[in-house]
Amino acid sequence: MKFMYRLLILVVAMALIASPPAVAIGTPKLLIEQDFPDPDIVKTDSGYFAFATSTGAVKVPYAHAPAPEGPWRVAGDALAAAPKWAKPDGGFWAPDVTRLSDGTFVLYFSAAVAPGGEMCIGAATAAKVEGPYTPAGDGPLICEPGDAGDIDPQTFVDSDGARYLLYKSDGAAVGPPAAIWSQKLLADGRTPAGPRIELLRADLASENAVVEAPSVVKTPSRYLLFYSADTFQSSGYHTGYATAPALSGPFVKAGTPFLSTDLLGGKVDAPGGADVVDGHIHFHGWLGGGRAARGMYQLPIGFPNDIPQLG
């Protein structure tokens, strides 16, 4: 009898190891209930700031909160003026803000080059995190011929102080699909250093030839690259991740999405544009069951055993 009891316990334990209990994700918190797509979150001594893709006449909207959970208040336009090389009415996509060692803040953004309309990545600088940011340089920072456009800049500073700019090459109907790249930068944050490195490509059927919105988190032994996939207008748009032993790769994609409409029980439609700060993942999703505006949401996130986990 004792043997059978111990055998039963062993079988149950092995089953739990093979199929760990599901983690309760909970309901994503809606932080900004208005159009605020592609949020980038920055922690400062004066609280948290978020920057988003252009909405209407506002070139780079920004918001402020005392804590990641909020309350968040949309405050104004961070970009003082459009750069001379960009179409002033072409929109400024997926901004990213970082602080240099000398205290200067750099705003990276994607904009359409006048007059052709191809998207390239530019930079602007400011003395304060909220700006106003003044365009830097006479031309784009990243504008690779053959990429069919470069968008979605995101900075990452490694533990040794090295600074990198990650971004997406759009790809084209004929030729290589969309890809995510890493470009090392000098300390000024505006000078490329050496060749760029490809981190991953859109090579899964579920990605529909789209990977974008890169964001890197470093854990004790791994680099985790979060990215969005599929077309952003679709409910199939989702957030995935890949892991690597070094920022240069090789990155191996997780077998399933990390955030998706289905995984979130339909509580957020097309979750993407993710950014991880202080134990929270922030992302956008369509509001009101339509395709007119994307609000900013948040969920807690942890990294047990170097694996991202919600809840």
Side-chain angles (χ1 to χ4, degrees), residues 7-305:
L7 180 61
L8 177 62
I9 292 176
L10 179 61
V11 170
V12 171
M14 292 179 67
L16 287 174
I17 293 173
S19 303
V23 176
I25 293 176
T27 300
K29 186 174 183 179
L30 179 56
L31 301 176
I32 298 179
E33 195 174 1
Q34 66 183 72
D35 202 20
F36 202 83
D38 305 308
D40 173 66
I41 313 300
V42 181
K43 180 182 180 181
T44 73
D45 294 337
S46 55
Y48 293 77
F49 290 80
F51 300 84
T53 287
S54 297
T55 56
V58 182
K59 295 182 291 299
V60 178
Y62 78 91
H64 176 258
E69 300 86 352
W72 284 88
R73 181 178 65 87
V74 179
D77 195 337
L79 186 59
K84 293 180 180 179
W85 56 265
K87 294 176 66 176
D89 57 350
F92 299 87
W93 298 1
D96 174 79
V97 170
T98 188
R99 188 176 187 179
L100 304 179
S101 57
D102 65 0
T104 301
F105 289 92
V106 181
L107 166 71
Y108 303 94
F109 55 85
S110 308
V113 178
E118 183 175 278
M119 300 296 291
C120 295
I121 294 171
T125 60
K128 299 185 297 181
V129 64
E130 66 269 31
Y133 286 84
T134 302
D138 297 326
L141 174 62
I142 303 289
C143 198
E144 288 286 339
D147 277 358
D150 295 302
I151 64 172
D152 293 358
Q154 178 76 27
T155 49
F156 173 72
V157 181
D158 212 339
S159 52
D160 62 357
R163 185 175 296 273
Y164 300 86
L165 185 69
L166 281 69
Y167 63 93
K168 169 202 177 180
S169 61
D170 272 342
V174 178
I180 290 174
W181 303 82
S182 171
Q183 173 64 66
K184 190 173 184 179
L185 299 174
L186 296 183
D188 66 1
R190 302 186 300 281
T191 305
R196 65 178 184 171
I197 297 174
E198 182 182 320
L199 302 184
L200 56 81
R201 281 191 176 270
D203 54 10
L204 300 178
S206 61
E207 295 168 346
N208 283 326
V210 176
V211 290
E212 59 190 19
S215 180
V216 170
V217 173
K218 186 177 182 181
T219 63
S221 66
R222 308 291 289 176
Y223 290 79
L224 277 64
L225 171 59
F226 292 90
Y227 64 95
S228 300
D230 204 339
T231 55
F232 75 93
Q233 302 97 332
S234 165
S235 290
Y237 194 64
H238 62 274
T239 298
Y241 75 92
T243 62
L247 184 60
S248 57
F251 278 91
V252 178
K253 295 178 182 178
T256 57
F258 185 66
L259 294 173
S260 71
T261 305
D262 290 341
L263 288 173
L264 296 178
K267 296 171 184 175
V268 178
D269 184 14
D275 194 20
V276 178
V277 175
D278 275 5
H280 298 84
I281 184 167
H282 299 80
F283 52 96
H284 67 229
W286 292 106
L287 296 169
R291 292 291 184 270
R294 288 170 286 175
M296 185 173 86
Y297 293 84
Q298 178 200 78
L299 276 168
I301 188 172
F303 299 91
N305 300 316

